Amino acid sequence: GNTNAAADVPTTSAGAGAREAVVVLSIEGMTCQSCVRNIQSTVGEKPGVVSIQVSLERKEGEVRYDTSATTAQNIRDHIDDMGFVATLPHTGVPASCVVQIAGMTCMSCVRNIESTVGAKHGVTHIKVSLEAKEGRVEFDSTVLRADQVAEMIDDMGFDATLKQISDFKTHKTIVNGALNQLMTTQSSRSAAAEENHRRGSNTTSE
């Protein structure tokens, strides 16, 4: 057989690590270690799957995957297709992305995108800015990929381009970091103004 495809599987580069997620699935129907090995070898070769560890005792599988290449639902489907019954956990893996949107002309466009995309399965929050011509979308990465979010907006007749993807922790850090930087800049400015004022008052008293 052709082994070239297998050689290309390990794609755990430093860049890919930022988009990795882990999902633990319940797996019913396993009877022996042969089932375990079968699931691990078959699912482990699927695109986007970085690693998989299956436990017969706990009836579950822990899968680390690249969220830009696959979803937890795809992984569940792979296991289902093998004749087992795989169930996803109810808690999702939050992620966010920024989509550049061209073609919006008014607030009606904004509301249309927010209501349409916001109602899609897997989307938890969306905020669109007409001025910045972009939308920030928070979504469940076990259900959706960032490029699928951009496609939803594209399908509505707008020109949507993916600008930025991050897991939720990174997203919060970016937002908080920007706020802290703004506050630091403002406080340093006020400190400088205060220093100038003090210098001015010292010269007048002398």
Side-chain angles (χ1 to χ4, degrees), residues 163-204:
K163 270 181 70 179
Q164 180 190 328
I165 313 168
S166 58
D167 59 38
F168 209 62
K169 202 185 293 179
T170 312
H171 168 57
K172 280 190 168 176
T173 308
I174 291 167
V175 173
N176 291 341
L179 285 173
N180 290 340
Q181 197 174 354
L182 185 67
M183 287 165 74
T184 308
T185 308
Q186 285 175 342
S187 61
S188 61
R189 275 180 188 161
S190 57
E194 209 173 296
E195 182 62 31
N196 288 339
H197 178 69
R198 196 182 294 116
R199 280 179 184 164
S201 58
N202 284 346
T203 48
T204 49

Side-chain angles (χ1 to χ4, degrees), residues 4-26:
N4 288 346
D8 294 335
V9 170
T11 52
T12 41
S13 63
R19 296 188 199 173
E20 278 179 16
V22 176
V23 65
V24 178
L25 305 97
S26 301

Side-chain angles (χ1 to χ4, degrees), residues 111-133:
R111 286 191 294 270
N112 191 12
I113 294 169
E114 286 181 342
S115 60
T116 304
V117 177
K120 299 287 186 185
H121 179 54
V123 176
T124 53
H125 182 72
I126 176 169
K127 184 67 183 167
V128 177
S129 167
L130 181 64
E131 295 77 21
K133 294 180 181 176

Side-chain angles (χ1 to χ4, degrees), residues 1-205:
N2 186 4
T3 54
N4 288 346
D8 294 335
V9 170
T11 52
T12 41
S13 63
R19 296 188 199 173
E20 278 179 16
V22 176
V23 65
V24 178
L25 305 97
S26 301
I27 306 170
E28 295 292 333
M30 296 187 294
T31 55
C32 60
Q33 285 301 320
S34 176
C35 297
V36 170
R37 286 192 295 271
N38 193 8
I39 293 170
Q40 287 183 164
S41 61
T42 304
V43 178
E45 288 174 359
K46 298 294 180 184
V49 175
V50 177
S51 66
I52 175 169
Q53 193 68 43
V54 177
S55 167
L56 179 64
E57 295 75 25
R58 294 195 302 272
K59 295 182 180 179
E60 67 181 28
E62 183 178 297
V63 186
R64 182 178 292 277
Y65 63 99
D66 182 350
T67 58
S68 66
T70 190
T71 66
Q73 275 190 319
N74 284 346
I75 295 163
R76 181 201 62 189
D77 291 345
H78 293 324
I79 299 171
D80 273 357
D81 290 345
M82 294 177 67
F84 302 98
V85 179
T87 313
L88 285 171
H90 293 298
T91 52
V93 179
S96 72
C97 65
V98 177
V99 182
Q100 188 77 46
I101 308 167
M104 296 187 294
T105 54
C106 59
M107 286 309 293
S108 177
C109 297
V110 170
R111 286 191 294 270
N112 191 12
I113 294 169
E114 286 181 342
S115 60
T116 304
V117 177
K120 299 287 186 185
H121 179 54
V123 176
T124 53
H125 182 72
I126 176 169
K127 184 67 183 167
V128 177
S129 167
L130 181 64
E131 295 77 21
K133 294 180 181 176
E134 66 180 31
R136 184 175 295 278
V137 187
E138 292 167 12
F139 60 96
D140 180 354
S141 64
T142 63
V143 178
L144 285 173
R145 298 191 313 270
D147 60 302
Q148 290 174 319
V149 174
E151 272 174 36
M152 289 174 187
I153 301 169
D154 219 51
D155 290 344
M156 293 178 67
F158 302 98
D159 188 8
T161 315
L162 208 53
K163 270 181 70 179
Q164 180 190 328
I165 313 168
S166 58
D167 59 38
F168 209 62
K169 202 185 293 179
T170 312
H171 168 57
K172 280 190 168 176
T173 308
I174 291 167
V175 173
N176 291 341
L179 285 173
N180 290 340
Q181 197 174 354
L182 185 67
M183 287 165 74
T184 308
T185 308
Q186 285 175 342
S187 61
S188 61
R189 275 180 188 161
S190 57
E194 209 173 296
E195 182 62 31
N196 288 339
H197 178 69
R198 196 182 294 116
R199 280 179 184 164
S201 58
N202 284 346
T203 48
T204 49
S205 60

